[in-house]
Amino acid sequence: MRNRWMRWTAAGGACAGVVAAGAATVWYTQGDAQGHTVADTSASMRISAADAGDASRYWTAKRMAAATPVDRAGGAASERRLTAQSVTQSKAFGGVPTIGALFFNNGQGDHFCTASVVQSSSQRLLITAAHCIHGGKGKKYATKVAFVPKYDRGKRPYGTWTAKMLLVDQRWITSTDPDLDFGFIALNDRSGKTIQKAVGYNRLAINQGVGKTVNVAGYPKIAFDPRDRPIYCRTKTAQQAKYQIRMDCTGFYGGTSGSPWLLNYSYTTQKGDINGVIGGFHGGGWTADRSFSAYFDKDVYNLRAAADKRA
């Protein structure tokens, strides 16, 4: 577990925990990456133009359809169900432009997760689970990384976007710390546009505490959800551990790792504030009805700043 100081201080100077009432809200805005000096604990890998071109050619419709969810670090969402309580039901839908399927090869096969566009000065960043980018201790970065916004039953309305850089916290690489199971991807431009210009973005929110209503959307394993469509759920967060939060909703099988937890979601603009991604404890969950996220505080904020500077 990460040994960190608390990221929010109450008015009297005392440290507050994850569930502190009135916890401060920080949203990332354009320009912050250049305006703040932050502790850099990041580790990254750059992807050459030649390798990006190979990835673009590699991901045919057939390969995308055959890709499977990545094995989650420490666990995997299965067909198991929560039975002790009433659980909110997820719904299939057509997806939104800022969220998509993330395809990659981890050296053991072709896989997919979920990723979303997060606001940045570079206008090129995605956020997802760290285990979708790097396998953790003793393992390597993913290769052939490509993002398909609003992927739906094989349709690619915004095309396929290749990665130019992958970035996670160095402590994830050295210890597979579930409290740091988040990471960023910088994408190559496509047809002269950045991903943010092409599809929009969601803001980054940190230090939000728990008990908040979030909209969560992702791409479940086809074997358990043959509709082959993205799903979404509107539910509340709760505390799981000091640096872990959870949400209960059906249908979040493998493939939903990296799904963004959106606060203040607008059905009109189809945007919100990212306050978590499926990952963390048990790799995001050992049952499809209960999902986890590392708590978003200064660590994810600083990591995003490092990614933006290198994008």
Side-chain angles (χ1 to χ4, degrees):
M1 295 298 184
R2 53 185 173 181
N3 294 317
R4 310 176 309 154
W5 60 93
M6 298 308 295
R7 304 305 192 189
W8 179 80
T9 304
C15 288
V18 170
V19 297
T25 301
V26 177
W27 286 286
Y28 170 75
T29 57
Q30 290 185 343
D32 278 0
Q34 286 72 32
H36 288 70
T37 300
V38 297
D40 189 350
T41 60
S42 64
S44 63
M45 181 185 76
R46 300 202 72 85
I47 299 168
S48 69
D51 286 344
D54 288 343
S56 181
R57 292 184 291 272
Y58 183 83
W59 286 111
T60 62
K62 185 176 180 179
R63 280 202 171 104
M64 287 183 179
T68 60
V70 66
D71 289 336
R72 295 176 173 179
S78 68
E79 69 276 10
R80 290 171 58 189
R81 305 294 300 272
L82 293 179
T83 58
Q85 63 187 82
S86 176
V87 180
T88 305
Q89 303 292 303
S90 65
K91 298 178 181 178
F93 75 129
V96 296
T98 61
I99 301 172
L102 182 72
F103 295 94
F104 57 95
N105 187 290
N106 68 351
Q108 298 177 324
D110 294 337
H111 300 291
F112 71 96
C113 282
T114 301
S116 56
V117 183
V118 61
Q119 185 185 20
S120 65
S121 295
S122 66
Q123 301 187 16
R124 295 185 173 96
L125 294 187
L126 304 178
I127 188 170
T128 188
H131 69 260
C132 299
I133 299 174
H134 189 286
K137 185 177 181 180
K139 298 185 180 180
K140 299 179 179 180
Y141 285 98
T143 62
K144 297 182 175 63
V145 179
F147 176 65
V148 182
K150 204 178 179 181
Y151 180 82
D152 182 16
R153 294 173 291 186
K155 297 176 182 177
R156 294 179 265 180
Y158 296 92
T160 301
W161 297 69
T162 58
K164 64 185 296 185
M165 183 195 67
L166 311 177
L167 183 142
V168 296
D169 196 292
Q170 178 63 47
R171 293 166 291 178
W172 169 262
I173 293 176
T174 56
S175 63
T176 322
D177 188 340
D179 293 341
L180 294 162
D181 194 1
F182 42 74
F184 294 87
I185 300 169
L187 296 178
N188 289 299
D189 295 353
R190 190 174 189 273
S191 301
K193 288 186 177 182
T194 63
I195 186 65
Q196 189 168 303
K197 284 288 187 182
V199 304
Y201 59 85
N202 299 293
R203 296 188 300 177
L204 180 65
I206 66 172
N207 292 335
Q208 289 293 284
V210 294
K212 306 290 185 177
T213 297
V214 291
N215 275 55
V216 184
Y219 289 83
K221 184 177 180 180
I222 296 173
F224 295 129
D225 192 339
R227 293 172 295 185
D228 191 22
R229 308 202 74 186
I231 62 170
Y232 79 94
C233 189
R234 186 173 178 85
T235 188
K236 284 191 174 183
T237 62
Q239 187 171 11
Q240 175 65 25
K242 187 173 183 180
Y243 296 117
Q244 294 284 319
I245 59 176
R246 71 173 187 266
M247 67 94 178
D248 292 346
C249 186
T250 64
F252 284 85
Y253 299 102
T256 59
S257 288
S259 296
W261 299 25
L262 300 177
L263 292 168
N264 307 314
Y265 182 77
S266 167
Y267 289 98
T268 301
T269 65
Q270 298 184 326
K271 297 176 183 178
D273 305 319
I274 303 172
N275 187 48
V277 295
I278 290 182
F281 188 56
H282 283 280
W286 66 86
T287 166
D289 294 352
R290 173 164 288 175
S291 300
F292 304 101
S293 171
Y295 183 68
F296 273 21
D297 61 6
K298 198 70 170 179
D299 276 336
V300 70
Y301 183 87
N302 289 351
L303 197 66
R304 190 223 48 79
D308 204 12
K309 288 179 180 179
R310 301 179 203 177

